[in-house]
Amino acid sequence: MALTDQTRAEMREIIARYPKPRSALLPMLHLAQSEEGHVSPEGIAMCAEELGLTKAEVGAVATFYTMYRRRPAGEYHVGICTNTLCAVLGGDEIMASVKEHLGIGHNETTEDGRLSLEHVECNAACDYAPVVMVNWEFYDNQTPATVRDLVDGCRAGTPPPPTRGPSTLCTFKQVSRVLAGFPDGRANEGVQAGPATLVGLELAKERGDRAPAMSTTDKDA
Amino acid sequence: MANPHALIEGVAISSYAIRSSFAVIYVRGEIVHVIRRLQQAVLDAYAAGHLGKDIAGSGFDLDVVVHAGSGAYICGEETALLDSLEGYRGQPRLRPPFPATHGLYASPTVVNNVESIASVPAIVLGGAQWFSSMGTEKSKGFTLYSLSGHVKNPGQYEAPLGITLRQLLDLSGGMREGRTLKFWTPGGSSTPLLTEAHLDVPLDYEGVAAAGSMLGTKALQCFDDTTCVVRAVLRWTEFYAHESCGKCTPCREGTYWMVQILQRLEAGTGTEDDLATLLDTCDNIFGRSFCALGDGATSPIVSGLELFREEFLAHVTGAGCPFDPVASTVFAPAGTSA
């Protein structure tokens, strides 16, 4: 899909959020990606025009950040955490199993364009390890079998919902639009905080542990 | 515990304190669930009149933007974050000047971790005396300890500063059945590894520093006796090589070459000399890199070699890794041995 006047208008909306226009560049690139599935030369040119930069200046930024894709990739982008903790707890086995199952490797896309695969670095969910992301949504506590089912579901167009977050999985383009700062209204869907997030709180309640009471009289400045 | 409004309220109070009318919550882009919830919380706060123009008739204006990053760990470094937020490659700046005088757009800027900002409303409500009635002599208050790895009940545990890992493990159910703790990080991979010998170290800034490490993020990653320390250190080093921004030579080149060395050690084709080369390389990165990412990259290697030199040597003399990686997974069949 080519970029439109609508895209350009939305880029100007993003620029208006910031005291200085160039601060809008990262979300503008997310927006370009939400239209085309990757950051194309056309997307770079539009950002450059709107910000009064050269295409080289925008390209230098776009190539620094790993979330911007320079080539079209899958509708469902699968990221398997193989940083130390997830790798040790099973991420390596999951990666090997998915590679074999799909017949593609790191940074490759299936022939039908449905799925692309990437090994990712820590996704800040060690307490849910091993963690797999699809389109940057969390699939917690995975095994090789659950991830095979997950990618089969993505291929069939019926992916299971993320463990936390929306009740259905968004496409890569839809998610990129949220990253550009255009909310999709789905913030309150599904599981908000998973069990590991709340385990300490539950334990404290069970044990009757509380912070010391706040005094209402001798509050100091 | 999962309430984004604690953060938004903290942002509003902190901005009022420094008379700032513009605040940004810069959050990594790879966690859309979190970004959605923050966006919604900011919208809710505007709708309720807690943000925007003339808040609650005070004459104070504040705009808050939720800004999604794009996959660069280095943007957790405050000056790299500022460059990124100005629309540049996320690379650290030379300091001084510090952000407090020359930050975003060369204006005075306060950059804080979200956990610090989210604790502000409770401190304002309860008062300094209340807050400092928790914690230890120099490390006051409470914090989130994030327990993960080969433990029975991984998750977030809020506790006063100074609690020990032994206490946290006792409270939470301990290590997984039939296994013992081999090594752990007090604050993620950039903080030197600790072992069972450090179970009673108070997890506050001074206690962990006295034990030769750093409190850091309080990401308590616990690994049991099925885990190969060489493999763990290799993965962490691959992470730093991937996330090095490339600005300075010691970090960019050093992490690249250390990955090569660790890969051959793990594959059983390394030599004893490689261990000396690793330490020598770390020596040339630590204190000589532009920012703390390079220093952090040396932590797992130096501490790993200090604590587990025999295990590194076993990879050289025994022709490869003596561990079964399946035994360390969470879905390992019962009875799998290391």
Side-chain angles (χ1 to χ4, degrees):
Chain A
M1 194 201 290
L3 301 175
T4 61
D5 286 345
Q6 167 82 10
T7 318
R8 194 180 290 278
E10 286 177 342
M11 282 187 176
R12 289 177 187 171
E13 263 182 63
I14 298 174
I15 292 169
R17 289 180 205 149
Y18 297 90
K20 295 209 175 178
R22 187 166 174 161
S23 284
L25 181 51
L26 267 64
M28 286 163 75
L29 289 164
H30 280 305
L31 183 72
Q33 188 152 263
S34 79
E35 293 295 329
E36 300 194 287
H38 69 294
V39 175
S40 68
E42 194 190 349
I44 286 178
M46 191 180 273
C47 292
E49 284 160 26
E50 289 306 311
L51 293 173
L53 300 171
T54 65
K55 285 183 274 187
E57 284 171 315
V58 175
V61 172
T63 52
F64 180 83
Y65 295 94
T66 50
M67 286 179 79
Y68 301 127
R69 310 194 302 200
R70 280 182 275 171
R71 292 182 302 277
E75 189 178 341
Y76 296 101
H77 186 64
V78 180
I80 297 170
C81 180
T82 55
N83 197 323
T84 300
L85 193 123
C86 277
V88 166
L89 265 63
D92 278 355
E93 281 73 11
I94 291 171
M95 186 70 181
S97 148
V98 172
K99 274 183 176 172
E100 195 195 336
H101 188 64
L102 294 176
I104 56 171
H106 168 63
N107 263 342
E108 290 178 0
T109 305
T110 53
E111 271 177 26
D112 59 9
R114 279 277 193 179
L115 280 169
S116 45
L117 185 62
E118 182 185 18
H119 74 77
V120 297
E121 296 298 350
C122 186
N123 238 89
C126 295
D127 47 347
Y128 294 100
V131 168
V132 171
M133 310 299 290
V134 181
N135 295 340
W136 309 116
E137 303 280 11
F138 287 110
Y139 288 84
D140 300 334
N141 304 113
Q142 295 298 294
T143 68
T146 59
V147 180
R148 280 195 299 270
D149 289 347
L150 171 58
V151 295
D152 285 347
C154 291
R155 267 192 143 168
T158 54
T163 316
R164 287 173 277 158
S167 42
T168 55
L169 178 62
C170 297
T171 64
F172 183 80
K173 288 182 180 177
Q174 289 167 337
V175 159
S176 298
R177 194 172 162 78
V178 176
L179 296 176
F182 295 97
D184 59 6
R186 306 186 66 177
N188 295 323
E189 285 181 23
V191 175
Q192 300 287 299
T197 308
L198 301 174
V199 66
L201 181 65
E202 300 298 336
L203 181 68
K205 279 182 187 162
E206 196 183 299
R207 290 169 41 89
D209 287 345
R210 300 182 62 84
M214 290 177 185
S215 157
T216 47
T217 50
D218 62 343
K219 198 197 292 184
D220 53 309
Chain B
M1 182 57 228
N3 172 15
H5 283 289
L7 175 63
I8 310 292
E9 189 179 343
V11 168
I13 296 170
S14 308
S15 301
Y16 181 74
I18 62 167
R19 300 291 185 268
S20 168
S21 58
F22 180 65
V24 174
I25 302 172
Y26 186 111
V27 53
R28 61 181 302 180
E30 302 102 316
I31 43 174
V32 188
H33 173 54
V34 176
I35 291 166
R36 268 197 201 92
R37 283 163 46 78
L38 280 170
Q39 287 173 339
Q40 186 64 48
V42 168
L43 287 173
D44 291 347
Y46 270 102
H50 301 317
L51 297 177
K53 299 282 173 219
D54 190 22
I55 298 170
S58 62
F60 178 66
D61 302 338
L62 177 64
D63 281 313
V64 175
V65 172
V66 177
H67 185 92
S70 306
Y73 173 76
I74 187 63
C75 293
E77 197 281 337
E78 63 176 3
T79 60
L81 183 153
L82 292 172
D83 261 31
S84 177
L85 190 52
E86 289 184 6
Y88 293 87
R89 297 160 77 92
Q91 294 187 318
R93 299 176 180 176
L94 189 64
R95 290 175 293 181
F98 290 92
T101 55
H102 297 73
L104 189 68
Y105 316 129
S107 303
T109 305
V110 171
V111 187
N112 272 116
N113 187 292
V114 289
E115 190 190 4
S116 308
I117 297 289
S119 66
V120 166
I123 296 172
V124 169
L125 191 65
Q129 209 167 29
W130 168 79
F131 186 73
S132 53
S133 72
M134 290 170 272
T136 55
E137 195 191 337
K138 287 188 178 162
S139 301
K140 304 289 189 195
F142 51 83
T143 192
L144 286 170
Y145 293 96
S146 175
L147 201 57
S148 63
H150 293 126
V151 295
K152 274 200 194 122
N153 293 302
Q156 307 302 314
Y157 296 84
E158 193 171 37
L161 278 153
I163 196 168
T164 66
L165 182 59
R166 188 188 302 282
Q167 287 172 314
L168 281 166
L169 285 173
D170 285 348
L171 281 169
S172 67
M175 299 296 289
R176 62 178 178 165
E177 212 55 57
R179 295 290 173 195
T180 53
L181 178 64
K182 180 173 173 179
F183 59 91
W184 55 289
T185 67
S189 64
S190 62
T191 58
L193 299 175
L194 298 174
T195 65
E196 228 176 2
H198 305 100
L199 274 170
D200 295 313
V201 169
L203 295 174
D204 61 5
Y205 296 98
E206 298 74 30
V208 182
S213 189
M214 290 180 292
L215 187 58
T217 61
K218 294 141 288 180
L220 306 167
Q221 302 181 317
C222 302
F223 297 89
D224 71 17
D225 52 336
T226 63
T227 314
C228 170
V229 74
V230 179
R231 179 181 175 214
V233 170
L234 164 64
R235 290 315 179 83
W236 279 320
T237 309
E238 286 178 337
F239 164 73
Y240 286 107
H242 183 265
E243 300 298 344
S244 175
C245 78
K247 180 163 180 160
C248 75
T249 310
C251 175
R252 183 187 64 242
E253 299 300 318
T255 52
Y256 172 84
W257 286 106
M258 293 195 300
V259 166
Q260 314 297 312
I261 296 171
L262 284 160
Q263 276 174 345
R264 65 178 181 248
L265 280 169
E266 175 67 353
T269 55
T271 65
E272 199 173 336
D273 284 349
D274 282 339
L275 307 189
T277 309
L278 277 176
L279 287 178
D280 186 43
T281 312
C282 285
D283 204 33
N284 279 292
I285 296 174
F286 190 86
R288 292 178 168 85
S289 336
F290 207 86
C291 77
L293 188 135
D295 292 350
T298 68
S299 286
I301 297 176
V302 174
S303 62
L305 271 165
E306 196 177 296
L307 296 165
F308 298 101
R309 191 177 177 85
E310 290 307 312
E311 194 170 313
F312 279 82
L313 281 173
H315 281 71
V316 175
T317 53
C321 180
F323 289 88
D324 171 12
V326 175
S328 63
T329 65
V330 283
F331 39 80
T336 314
S337 62

